């Protein structure tokens, strides 16, 4: 039976990731395709509320390890929902996922494999769109610098950690330097179109 595709959009802060996610959702909807957006961290759950506090309140202390495990737990909270949607033939778009989970924590100095371990067994996206800059232009965009992780030096380390997933067969790099929203939108679509009617193969798991 055909299931929905699992598509993740990843990127550093302020790469236009959320804008592109929104556009893609609308494109799929306009074509009459069932689609649902799941944004991570999902700040609406109880664990998500703790994560939100951690991200926005610098007085709120958590060890790097416990913060990491909360972000992972937040993904595990949503697995049942994701699997159910996929089975129903719904395309599931993830705005951030395991890759952010590993990259942001490993950038703090935690072991890369240790960071991936709690996410083993989660459904693996059929395709990951990684929005990136060739240079570090994202740090010049409006609004950068409000939250805990939005510091130039840190973002550079995160980028290096994301790039360790480059080479996985589901990984697609999308350079956004100097491109307008529409140009990026078209590129996103070229990577997504072949998944837009779903897949007959089972969803893979992180292993
Ligand atoms: P966003 O809502 O997409 O702006 O994400 C909030 C911030 O949290 C952003 O700086 C990226 C970071 N982040 C997202 N997911 C994870 C995760 O799983 N682990 C860690 N450590 N950070 C994450
Ligand atoms: Na952010
Ligand atoms: Na963001």
């Amino acid at each position: 039976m055909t299931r929905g595709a699992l598509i993740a959009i990843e990127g550093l802060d302020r790469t236009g990731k959320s804008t592109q996610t929104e556009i893609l959702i609308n494109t799929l909807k306009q074509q009459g395709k069932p689609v649902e957006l799941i944004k991570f961290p999902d700040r609406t759950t109880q664990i998500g509320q703790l994560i939100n506090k951690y991200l926005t309140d610098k007085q709120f202390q958590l060890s790097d390890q416990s913060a990491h495990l909360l972000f992972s737990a937040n993904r595990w909270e949503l697995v049942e929902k994701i699997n159910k949607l996929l089975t129903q033939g719904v395309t599931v778009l993830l705005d951030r996922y395991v890759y952010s989970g590993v990259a942001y924590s490993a950038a703090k100095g935690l072991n890369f494999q240790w960071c991936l371990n709690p996410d083993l067994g989660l459904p693996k996206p059929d395709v990951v769109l990684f929005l990136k800059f060739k240079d570090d232009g994202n740090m010049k965009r409006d609004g950068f610098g409000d939250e805990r992780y939005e510091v130039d030096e840190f973002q550079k380390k995160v980028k290096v950690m994301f790039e360790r997933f480059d080479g996985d067969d589901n990984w697609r790099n999308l350079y956004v330097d100097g491109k307008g929203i529409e140009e990026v939108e078209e590129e996103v679509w070229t990577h997504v179109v072949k998944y837009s009617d779903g897949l007959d193969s089972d969803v893979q798991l992180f292993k």
Side-chain angles (χ1 to χ4, degrees), residues 13 17 39-41 43 55 71 75 95-97 100-101 104-105 108 147 149:
D13 293 274
K17 181 177 49 62
K39 183 169 166 23
F40 286 111
R43 304 190 195 208
L55 287 169
F71 278 102
R75 286 184 282 279
D95 180 348
R96 291 197 189 278
Y97 194 46
S100 284
Y104 281 81
S105 291
K108 300 177 191 171
E147 281 196 348
Y149 294 143

Side-chain angles (χ1 to χ4, degrees), residues 47-133:
I47 291 169
Q49 284 169 36
L50 269 177
I51 291 171
N52 184 55
K53 193 163 165 56
Y54 171 72
L55 287 169
T56 56
D57 177 358
K58 281 170 188 144
Q59 311 296 336
F60 183 67
Q61 298 292 331
L62 275 180
S63 73
D64 292 343
Q65 289 86 348
S66 28
H68 179 75
L69 294 171
L70 285 179
F71 278 102
S72 177
N74 188 234
R75 286 184 282 279
W76 280 106
E77 287 187 291
L78 273 296
V79 171
E80 213 178 294
K81 180 179 172 184
I82 292 171
N83 284 333
K84 198 163 166 199
L85 287 166
L86 294 178
T87 305
Q88 291 168 343
V90 178
T91 298
V92 177
L93 255 189
L94 306 170
D95 180 348
R96 291 197 189 278
Y97 194 46
V98 171
Y99 307 96
S100 284
V102 174
Y104 281 81
S105 291
K108 300 177 191 171
L110 298 182
N111 176 274
F112 188 90
Q113 185 60 43
W114 184 90
C115 291
L116 186 57
N117 283 347
D119 282 352
L120 298 183
L122 284 172
K124 188 172 176 173
D126 299 300
V127 62
V128 184
L129 308 169
F130 181 51
L131 270 54
K132 68 187 292 192
F133 288 93

